[in-house]
Amino acid sequence: MTEVKGIGPQLAKKLERNGIRTAEELAETPDGALPRAVGMGAFTIRKEAQTMLDDKKQRAIDRIIDT
């Protein structure tokens, strides 16, 4: 989880306590659940998780196309 920009060890623990253990889970967490679990900046870190996952998917697609 700490590979997501803006998430350090303490925030990762807080997310885990709220049932969010992976970047995928964070990216898919509904708006209503985020502020309770994370507080200020919740939407920013969710967007970072979404962006990170989108980038990984694109790199995987690029590798497939290049082979």
Side-chain angles (χ1 to χ4, degrees):
M1 180 70 80
T2 54
E3 71 273 8
V4 176
K5 183 178 175 182
I7 299 180
Q10 287 189 317
L11 183 52
K13 287 179 186 177
K14 185 175 185 178
L15 288 165
E16 287 180 26
R17 286 193 302 269
N18 284 278
I20 302 170
R21 292 174 178 79
T22 66
E24 291 82 2
E25 289 175 345
L26 175 59
E28 296 172 1
T29 301
D31 287 350
L34 276 172
R36 289 189 302 269
V38 182
M40 299 293 285
F43 301 106
T44 301
I45 63 165
R46 181 180 63 187
K47 183 65 177 165
E48 289 292 340
Q50 291 167 339
T51 299
M52 182 194 78
L53 293 170
D54 288 345
D55 290 348
K56 282 185 176 183
K57 287 177 190 174
Q58 188 59 53
R59 285 193 304 272
I61 290 168
D62 291 346
R63 281 194 305 269
I64 291 168
I65 292 170
D66 288 341
T67 56

